Amino acid sequence: MSQDGDGYFLFVFAIGILGLLVGNILFWSNKKDAFSARLLAGFIFSISIISINFGLQASTFFLNFPPLWRCAGFVGFCGPVFSYLYVNSLLFPSKKIKPIYFFLFLPSLVYTIILIPLYSLPASEKLIIIKQLLADKTLITLEPDVALPNGWGVMARVLFGLIMTIGQFVLIFKWKKEKSKNIDTSTYNWAFLFTVVMSVLYVLLFVEFSFHLSRFVELTQQIIFTLSGIILFISLNLLFRPHLLYGINPNVKNSDNDFYSKKEKKVVKLTNEQKEVFKDKLEKHFVQNTPFVKHSYSINDLSSEINIPVYLLSAFINEEYQKKFNELINDFRIKYISNLLIDNPNFSNFTIESLGQKAGFSSRSSLNNAIKKSSGQTPADFFRLKNQAN
């Protein structure tokens, strides 16, 4: 391999290894809000493996390890899926993949099955194929060694990537259309930028595999460097804007987020329109879904459920209700118990402690303290007077 080839291989290989390290950081860090980060980790793992594979094709690696030839072929179908699911999880927060989305991995499974005859070939026969393809590297992208017409496997991956990228744009425009213009758009801006960068890769791939321009200009290297650029792009954003990549909310009170919390709290100023929208969302959600009955229900949970950033939600609660979040939640829990006793007299046979547990209080003492703070009465007196009044 020439000196230029050595430099090319080392650069691509090093960026691929960097991507694997970044993917590991994303996957194992921030365990509390790990879903989006782990989807992004899956995407980075995928493109890093593809990048490393391209780098190895510029070396003699596969001549020494022929069983590994095409072993990463199916990964080309995984990257676009993880990318789509990541953007979806950013804009429409959830804590797990919906079952229907697992069908998006079906092309990867089908392509793996197609590759089984190649995987099962003896190493000596694989070595002959590899030598032929490395002698004319323009054939590698046509994949003549796969049980499909030449170029079909590659084109399938490119078209699938384009479709999933278009799907990301659809998610972004759908989110923008549904959300109020007054709501913070930092997540939207990041999702849009991430998707634009992704689209550059798939447009280049589509142009190359539609017209085979690498016969006239060196487009293959541009594609590979674009892959490396995406890895660097995400890695640098991870370094400078971790609150976007990890799914960290800027107002979570911990050492990692103090900077963002202080920075954004200074500029919070809610309009009357925002207050109306927030109040309607919050109270409808509480009445219809009663999420506060879950123990240890937090402002981060509420933020994800009604899609309002924590720092705006916290400012709204303090300003609108003149209370802290926990106080507001306890008020709704107390009202919930009162409604249970009014709507169903059988609940009067329950102990105060069991009613408190049912409403989301962690203990009898927390219920006692909440009622005493809001009314100055004991739970028994408070609920007895409430029942008499109704």
Side-chain angles (χ1 to χ4, degrees):
M1 189 163 55
S2 67
Q3 190 172 1
D4 288 344
D6 285 337
Y8 168 76
F9 164 71
L10 288 174
F11 173 78
V12 173
F13 190 80
I15 296 300
I17 295 299
L18 172 65
L20 294 180
L21 291 174
V22 171
N24 270 290
I25 293 170
L26 282 167
F27 190 86
W28 295 109
S29 300
N30 191 38
K31 293 182 180 179
K32 184 176 179 181
D33 300 303
F35 183 60
S36 290
R38 287 179 176 175
L39 290 174
L40 182 58
F43 170 71
I44 296 176
F45 282 136
S46 299
I47 61 171
S48 297
I49 290 170
I50 294 170
S51 180
I52 290 171
N53 185 69
F54 272 119
L56 293 175
Q57 287 179 1
S59 70
T60 59
F61 176 83
F62 289 111
L63 293 175
N64 298 317
F65 300 96
L68 297 180
W69 182 253
R70 301 290 189 206
C71 66
F74 69 95
V75 179
F77 287 103
C78 294
V81 177
F82 281 118
S83 177
Y84 176 86
L85 293 177
Y86 169 63
V87 170
N88 186 62
S89 71
L90 282 180
L91 301 178
F92 304 97
S94 59
K95 295 186 178 179
K96 60 181 181 180
I97 300 175
K98 293 179 181 178
I100 193 171
Y101 286 147
F102 284 104
F103 284 102
L104 295 176
F105 290 99
L106 192 58
S108 178
L109 177 61
V110 171
Y111 192 69
T112 302
I113 295 171
I114 290 171
L115 287 174
I116 288 176
L118 177 64
Y119 292 154
S120 59
L121 285 177
S124 58
E125 292 185 31
K126 275 191 180 181
L127 195 58
I128 294 172
I129 295 172
I130 294 168
K131 286 180 178 178
Q132 290 174 343
L133 295 177
L134 292 181
D136 183 3
K137 292 186 179 180
T138 60
L139 295 176
I140 291 178
T141 55
L142 295 177
E143 298 183 346
D145 49 334
V146 178
L148 284 172
N150 287 358
W152 280 36
V154 175
M155 184 56 74
R157 295 198 293 275
V158 172
L159 288 175
F160 184 69
L162 272 176
I163 291 168
M164 297 307 296
T165 304
I166 292 169
Q168 288 177 212
F169 280 115
V170 171
L171 287 175
I172 291 167
F173 293 129
K174 179 183 175 183
W175 186 92
K176 187 177 182 181
K177 185 177 179 181
E178 289 180 0
K179 305 306 171 186
S180 168
K181 292 181 180 179
N182 293 318
I183 294 177
D184 176 71
T185 57
S186 58
T187 301
Y188 162 81
N189 292 335
W190 162 245
F192 183 78
L193 182 60
F194 174 81
T195 304
V196 167
V197 171
M198 280 295 303
S199 65
V200 171
L201 171 65
Y202 285 109
V203 168
L204 275 174
L205 286 168
F206 181 77
V207 169
E208 160 59 15
F209 295 114
S210 295
F211 305 104
H212 302 293
L213 296 183
S214 58
R215 290 175 298 179
F216 312 106
V217 296
E218 189 50 69
L219 196 60
T220 304
Q221 283 195 6
Q222 293 178 27
I223 292 169
I224 298 170
F225 283 127
T226 301
L227 269 173
S228 300
I230 291 174
I231 297 171
L232 283 173
F233 167 74
I234 295 174
S235 302
L236 291 173
N237 273 280
L238 172 62
L239 178 64
F240 294 109
R241 299 197 294 172
H243 61 295
L244 290 174
L245 298 181
Y246 278 107
I248 295 174
N249 199 298
N251 280 77
V252 177
K253 291 184 178 180
N254 59 41
S255 57
D256 293 329
N257 294 324
D258 283 346
F259 171 77
Y260 299 104
S261 178
K262 290 174 183 177
K263 181 179 178 181
E264 298 204 9
K265 279 182 180 177
K266 290 179 182 178
V267 297
V268 172
K269 188 175 181 180
L270 300 175
T271 65
N272 290 331
E273 289 180 358
Q274 278 182 302
K275 291 177 189 176
E276 290 177 10
V277 171
F278 291 177
K279 186 172 184 178
D280 182 63
K281 275 191 171 186
L282 184 150
E283 296 190 356
K284 275 186 179 178
H285 180 55
F286 279 0
V287 171
Q288 294 173 3
N289 304 310
T290 61
F292 48 80
V293 299
K294 293 186 292 187
H295 293 182
S296 303
Y297 186 69
S298 70
I299 194 169
N300 293 314
D301 296 325
L302 178 59
S303 172
S304 295
E305 290 162 359
I306 63 176
N307 229 348
I308 299 174
V310 169
Y311 74 99
L312 290 177
L313 190 56
S314 178
F316 163 70
I317 291 171
N318 293 338
E319 191 172 334
E320 180 69 22
Y321 298 98
Q322 302 294 309
K323 294 176 181 179
K324 295 180 180 178
F325 173 77
N326 287 335
E327 294 173 335
L328 179 66
I329 290 300
N330 287 340
D331 285 350
F332 273 92
R333 286 170 173 163
I334 293 168
K335 186 176 180 181
Y336 178 76
I337 296 173
S338 298
N339 290 336
L340 286 179
L341 292 169
I342 293 168
D343 296 338
N344 190 342
N346 291 331
F347 279 111
S348 61
N349 297 321
F350 283 51
T351 64
I352 294 295
E353 184 174 0
S354 62
L355 286 171
Q357 288 282 334
K358 190 172 183 63
F361 286 102
S362 58
S363 65
R364 177 167 182 156
S365 61
S366 61
L367 172 61
N368 290 347
N369 292 336
I371 293 177
K372 188 173 181 180
K373 186 171 184 178
S374 65
S375 68
Q377 298 171 315
T378 65
D381 290 339
F382 177 81
F383 291 121
R384 182 174 61 253
L385 291 173
K386 281 276 186 183
N387 286 336
Q388 290 173 358
N390 291 277

